Amino acid sequence: MQNGVASDTLNWIPGLYLSVLCFISLYSFHRLLMVWRFYQHKPTMPKPIGFYTSEQLPKITIQLPIFNEMYVVERLLEAVSKLNYPQDKLEIQVLDDSTDETQRICQEKVAVLRNQNFNIHYIYRYKREGFKAGALANGLKSASGELVMIFDADFVPPPATLLKMVNYFSDPHVAMVQARWGHVNRQYSGLTKIQALMLDGHFIVEQIARHRSGCFFNFNGTAGIWRISAIADAGGWRHTTVTEDLDLSYRAQLKGWLFVYLPEVVVPAELPIEMNAFKSQQYRWAKGSSQVAKNLLGTVLNAEIPFHVKLEAVLHLTNNFNYLLLLLLLLLSLPYQIYVNQHQWKWELLIYLPLFLITTFNLLCYYGVSQREQNQIKSP
């Protein structure tokens, strides 16, 4: 009798379990859709509508937002000083919010580069309001460039980076051009190998698929060039979310600005080597995308854009809700197993086994394609 009562109290478990699993499977199908779109649009290489002559090249302001980066900041400044771009059309802003020895290192290196006739400015804020978004907005107040390129402290841009990207701004409708991240310490540890694998999936499959299929995609916070007038038109940098890059990206594209992604232009960077740094980064990205979804999802759904663009935006911005669904699935696992043991589990297997295989296959396919294709991407 007790078993019968227990069985009756668990009758709701299969329906809820199946519902949660179906929602998770939706995001799994989305990954497979990304792979399909990647191959569908792989031959569609973006090309600039024109090419600047040396005299026509626009002036570029390079912004380097820094916060307590004493071990890598000098390497960044050295790499930026070697960028192959007319020196009279290049401005460098070191946006230093540091509270440690980074200040002295930055000031000394800036003085050296200034003596080499670089147009470089050291900008220090005593009050770190708005964090990175606040630093970028503060720098734009005095920026003299038509375009602005942003590099985080752990990036090492190759000399040809600017010249490979700048010609896409010959189209006046282009607001942002994004390069692909490389990984200088991919082989350092198991943690860095896993991070590289995760990021390769994003930069090889997702960004290419979204860009070339006409969907919204995001500036990744660094290794990208913005048209300053587009930033202003979209409402400027805001610090209402912890992912100001994603927030501005959606606001600009909703305004009708075009984005370009160039996977063949690779800018190497260091991956976090400590678990705490990795967890902090992932937490910020997950929290930020949820904040952007809360702030902009309604605007996206009401915008006059194609349905497939809206659908992709919804799946993109809500992707991190998967973690909550997985937690719920975990909590349901034990009562579900109790229920299954009391019923015809073979029939349940016909439902759940295919879903399990789909959710597993999509990961293997998604990351397998990213590893297979990354070395085949060449400059046009």
Side-chain angles (χ1 to χ4, degrees):
M1 183 68 180
Q2 290 180 348
N3 287 339
V5 173
S7 177
D8 290 340
T9 60
L10 293 176
N11 283 338
W12 58 273
I13 292 293
L16 181 57
Y17 190 90
L18 178 61
S19 299
V20 174
L21 197 56
C22 284
F23 272 110
I24 294 175
S25 299
L26 176 64
Y27 290 96
S28 300
F29 279 116
H30 176 239
R31 279 203 181 92
L32 293 176
L33 177 63
M34 287 287 99
V35 172
W36 178 75
R37 282 179 174 167
F38 168 81
Y39 280 113
Q40 181 187 26
H41 298 283
K42 182 181 175 182
T44 311
M45 299 287 289
K47 295 181 180 179
I49 64 171
F51 293 88
Y52 294 113
T53 64
S54 298
E55 295 75 21
Q56 294 173 332
L57 284 171
K59 187 170 184 179
I60 298 180
T61 296
I62 296 180
Q63 291 188 325
L64 310 175
I66 307 294
F67 179 68
N68 295 350
E69 303 282 0
M70 67 172 75
Y71 300 111
V72 295
V73 68
E74 190 169 4
R75 181 186 65 185
L76 170 66
L77 288 167
E78 189 64 29
V80 169
S81 70
K82 293 178 180 178
L83 288 171
N84 185 14
Y85 204 78
Q87 200 162 316
D88 62 326
K89 296 189 176 184
L90 199 62
E91 176 189 37
I92 304 170
Q93 291 183 338
V94 181
L95 308 175
D96 188 14
D97 286 349
S98 301
T99 58
D100 64 0
E101 189 68 11
T102 306
Q103 293 183 42
R104 180 189 60 80
I105 297 172
C106 283
Q107 291 170 354
E108 291 178 356
K109 186 62 177 179
V110 166
V112 170
L113 293 177
R114 191 176 289 125
N115 289 334
Q116 297 174 7
N117 296 319
F118 281 94
N119 181 14
I120 185 168
H121 308 282
Y122 178 80
I123 302 174
Y124 183 78
R125 296 191 306 161
Y126 291 94
K127 185 177 181 182
R128 196 172 176 237
E129 184 180 358
F131 302 101
K132 181 180 175 180
L136 295 173
N138 183 60
L140 286 181
K141 294 176 183 177
S142 58
S144 60
E146 175 185 342
L147 309 175
V148 58
M149 183 156 203
I150 301 166
F151 292 115
D152 283 348
D154 48 358
F155 279 69
V156 189
T161 301
L162 291 179
L163 290 179
K164 287 182 177 180
M165 300 173 71
V166 71
N167 286 307
Y168 291 86
F169 288 95
S170 58
D171 183 347
H173 300 102
V174 169
M176 192 279 298
V177 178
Q178 174 71 53
R180 173 161 59 107
W181 294 7
H183 318 295
V184 298
N185 59 339
R186 174 191 288 267
Q187 302 300 326
Y188 180 83
S189 67
L191 177 61
T192 57
K193 290 178 182 178
I194 291 172
Q195 290 179 75
L197 179 68
M198 293 168 61
L199 288 170
D200 287 343
H202 171 70
F203 281 99
I204 300 297
V205 178
E206 286 187 14
Q207 292 290 71
I208 290 178
R210 289 190 180 116
H211 170 220
R212 298 185 187 180
S213 64
C215 294
F216 288 177
F217 75 95
N218 61 294
F219 168 57
N220 293 108
T222 178
I225 306 178
W226 276 89
R227 191 185 300 274
I228 292 179
S229 60
I231 295 177
D233 182 57
W237 293 107
R238 296 177 183 171
H239 48 86
T240 52
T241 79
V242 294
T243 50
E244 65 286 327
D245 45 7
L246 179 62
D247 176 55
L248 179 59
S249 297
Y250 267 77
R251 285 189 282 116
Q253 288 171 105
L254 285 168
K255 282 276 190 174
W257 289 96
L258 302 180
F259 282 21
V260 177
Y261 177 58
L262 302 178
E264 67 275 9
V265 181
V266 181
V267 181
E270 281 193 16
L271 298 161
I273 61 174
E274 297 179 347
M275 180 58 73
N276 286 337
F278 170 67
K279 287 165 63 177
S280 176
Q281 179 194 71
Q282 294 300 306
Y283 170 77
R284 183 173 60 84
W285 288 353
K287 179 180 179 181
S289 65
S290 300
Q291 290 173 326
V292 174
K294 177 183 176 183
N295 294 340
L296 295 180
L297 208 51
T299 305
V300 170
L301 293 175
N302 290 321
E304 294 184 2
I305 54 178
F307 175 76
H308 78 279
V309 177
K310 292 183 181 182
L311 179 60
E312 176 58 36
V314 170
L315 293 170
H316 181 198
L317 293 177
T318 62
N319 184 63
N320 285 296
F321 288 100
N322 251 326
Y323 298 123
L324 296 176
L325 294 173
L326 286 171
L327 176 60
L328 181 57
L329 197 69
L330 178 64
L331 295 174
L332 290 171
S333 294
L334 180 58
Y336 174 72
Q337 290 303 319
I338 294 173
Y339 177 87
V340 167
N341 287 335
Q342 299 173 357
H343 292 78
Q344 297 293 326
W345 63 269
K346 292 182 179 180
W347 293 106
E348 303 290 335
L349 195 63
L350 293 177
I351 298 174
Y352 297 114
L353 183 59
L355 290 175
F356 168 76
L357 293 175
I358 289 170
T359 53
T360 304
F361 173 72
N362 91 85
L363 291 174
L364 297 175
C365 184
Y366 177 78
Y367 290 113
V369 167
S370 71
Q371 297 309 296
R372 178 178 179 272
E373 295 290 337
Q374 64 175 313
N375 295 323
Q376 299 183 24
I377 296 176
K378 305 294 182 183
S379 299

